[in-house]
Amino acid sequence: LEYDLTWRAKGACQGLNPDIFYPDSEENCEQALSICKTCEVRIACLNYALESREKQGVWGGASARERRKLLRTSRRSA
């Protein structure tokens, strides 16, 4: 599967320490989420993570747990 990743260059996370977005637990992702809130490509990032089934990290303002919940909900309504 081929993805258009040009949106990544506009990410508010560009140049930041990736560890921020891969915290040691779901409870420690406040810093990442606060950065995502300001990001102009948050929706594209979240869509990418959902479509590619990204298993770890914070993407598009959603933790791995939140994305699993979104996927479950979307499958039920599909």
Side-chain angles (χ1 to χ4, degrees), residues 16-33:
L16 298 178
N17 183 338
D19 291 346
I20 294 169
F21 299 91
Y22 293 92
D24 54 0
S25 78
E26 292 270 330
E27 288 70 43
N28 293 336
C29 55
E30 294 82 20
Q31 188 180 6
L33 295 176

Side-chain angles (χ1 to χ4, degrees), residues 33-47:
L33 295 176
S34 68
I35 294 165
C36 291
K37 277 187 191 126
T38 70
C39 186
E40 66 180 82
V41 294
R42 188 176 64 81
I43 301 303
C45 180
L46 178 58
N47 287 337

